[in-house]
Amino acid sequence: MCPGYTRHIGRRSLLARTAAIGLLAGLSPVLAAVVHGASEPKNAVFRRVRPTDPQWPDEASWDRLNRDVGGHLTKVRSPLAACADGPDSASCRDALKDLRNPYFIGDQAGATQTSGWVDAWMSAPSVYAVAARTTADVVAAVNFARENRLRLVVKGGGHSYQGTSNAADSLLVWTRAMNDIVLHDAFVPQGCAVPGEPAVSVGAGAIWMHVYDAVTTKGGRYVVGGGCTTVGVAGLIQSGGFGSFSKQYGTAASWLLEAEVVTADGTVRIANACTNPELFWGLKGGGGGSLGVITRLTLKTHALPEWFGSTYATIEAASDDAFRRLIGAFVDFYAEHLFNPHWGESITIHRNNVLAITLVSQGLDQQQSASVWQSFRAWIAASPLEYRLTAAPLIGSIPARHWWDAEFLKRYVPRSVVSDPRPGALPGDMWWSGDAGQVGWFLHGFESTWLPASLLEKDQRGRLTDALFSATRQWWGVQLQFNKALGGAPDAAVAAARDTATNPAVLTAFALALVVGDGPPAYPGVPGHEPDLDAARLNARAIARAMQELRKVAPDPGSYVSESNYFETDWQRSYWGTNYPRLQAVKAKYDPDGLFFVHHGVGSEDWSTDGFTRLAGR
Ligand SMILES: Cc1cc2nc3c(=O)[nH]c(=O)nc-3n(C[C@H](O)[C@H](O)[C@H](O)COP(=O)(O)OP(=O)(O)OC[C@H]3O[C@@H](n4cnc5c(N)ncnc54)[C@H](O)[C@@H]3O)c2cc1C
């Protein structure tokens, strides 16, 4: 969701220690099972095996798997194991500190970037992980899981908000170490007779920061990927996925040229427009972890524009009426000046009558950007009693090649980034300081909806303004992420996204509206760090009310699969719209027995909520 959407409720929990679950699940399997909904439906017909079952593989079987994967099978340890004896030990304090570092989290088989979501899921380590180095390791893990009826989980960057890359009692395929990056001048997908084009091939465990370093900082080209530096490439591509500049370049999945995939039968397949084309299409936005394990992806790269830039401003209105007019003025200004491929990222409309502008631009130098903003600044300046800029607006551009150049950023805008502080960390391993709040956060609610571009037509803007204002009376803020919708994007970007599994609603929306609430990282069983469930549930209800206000103007809009409500009711239609039956056909062909299960993934309606039990009649 990056960059920079954070809201910390900040109340410390009063929960008793008895809720020892989640990251400590390894220490408390019974309670973990309760939280993860382990109770079996009565109509069970196929059940995966848990460590407590007699069919769980014996030590000799695990040893064989370990040999097959070159010694890369590990027993997964909770990163909070050090806290078992109490939160005050030095080792526990160190663990809690390390868990604020997204690179540290990414390096743990047993951790995830979100610590949990109230009444939805808590991060839980698998029993074993194959820390895969090669495609053959992945094949061995997939075969072992299928043959032994294990719950299989796949994790790359670990950034799933929905908790789909962790599960108690499972075997994890962990791709972190498969992170090779190779640039191509003229890539031709296998089996295709097409002209070669510039591209980058990445291992399934690569994170975007490393890809940007290779493609943009060193290679002088652009690849569409996530705003947050530590998000995994494989997860984002399968999500559909947006970058800060998607209003120009379209969705990340649109530019997938080829993937290598291990399917449920243990076969290594190439998927591209000419070979296994339906599987290829399904990987482009069909959601991670449902169709197979991707081991390598090749993405088209684009010419880099000369400039990338950003515009920051915070405007406070003196009254509710003035704020409503401010929202209306911004909607007018957006529709007339910013609704085009140059502008991305977001604004946040706050309950305390503050409008925060955190936008990025591409292809505009500083002067060009500044001149775009002139009329809006004049409008604010004309009413000094009603509007106050809480800080001078910042409008700037830098040569695009430096956008992810850690050395440049640390030198010229040091406060914008945080470096991985661990000894031996790569010098370029950094994250945006505005994203720090999302590291380990515990979600209270997270809802999103695409807002159709028709709402920007002159006669609709009043309705949109009223809905945005009303939503902020229910919750502290509504964020509009303009880069996560392709209304206003060039035809080529829209056409490419039309050939993906993502809900076609994205093509005609002008923004993805998000309403989110969170608290600090939550670690049940670690006194002083438990989630405040009462506050979280209260906030979840307020978030739902805020979203209801937006749905009054967008009744059937759809939602981005990886940034949406865990409890989405009509999720198949929301995420994929009319594409869902086609995705089901891909699933039936490549994973007919449902080895791959994720919450609200393709085919998951056939399974119990924990993915252990196939439902009767399915
Ligand atoms: C802090 C934060 C910032 C974000 N910023 C953005 C953003 O800027 N733009 C955007 O579009 N989205 C963003 N997202 C959403 C993000 O793109 C998705 O959650 C994405 O799925 C994360 O991928 P991952 O590999 O990091 O996560 P994981 O949790 O490892 O994986 C996500 C899903 O993909 C599956 N998966 C992972 N690797 C593979 C593989 N090799 N083969 C098959 N399945 C696999 C997992 O099983 C899981 O279901 C953000 C999320 C977070 C938490």
Side-chain angles (χ1 to χ4, degrees), residues 526-608:
V526 182
H529 299 274
E530 298 96 339
D532 185 343
L533 298 181
D534 290 341
R537 288 176 185 138
L538 202 67
N539 292 333
R541 287 196 289 276
I543 288 165
R545 286 197 302 274
M547 190 44 77
Q548 274 164 20
E549 295 296 334
L550 297 182
R551 292 216 195 283
K552 288 179 185 166
V553 292
D556 186 21
S559 179
Y560 170 36
V561 57
S562 284
E563 297 186 355
S564 59
N565 188 0
Y566 183 92
F567 304 100
E568 193 90 19
T569 44
D570 198 3
W571 51 270
Q572 297 93 332
R573 203 160 59 103
S574 237
Y575 302 154
W576 297 294
T578 49
N579 287 329
Y580 193 65
R582 188 173 165 192
L583 273 175
Q584 282 179 303
V586 179
K587 176 80 175 173
K589 178 166 178 190
Y590 291 98
D591 184 20
D593 296 328
L595 177 67
F596 296 104
F597 167 91
V598 297
H599 172 75
H600 287 179
V602 182
S604 61
E605 55 278 84
D606 293 353
W607 293 85
S608 58

Side-chain angles (χ1 to χ4, degrees), residues 397-435:
S397 290
I398 60 171
R401 198 161 178 162
H402 292 311
W403 192 255
W404 291 286
D405 177 347
E407 212 180 300
F408 178 93
L409 296 168
K410 281 189 239 174
R411 185 155 173 205
Y412 294 106
V413 272
R415 283 191 302 168
S416 70
V417 292
V418 185
S419 292
D420 182 349
R422 293 175 298 166
L426 293 176
D429 280 359
M430 52 118 210
W431 63 97
W432 304 113
S433 42
D435 294 338

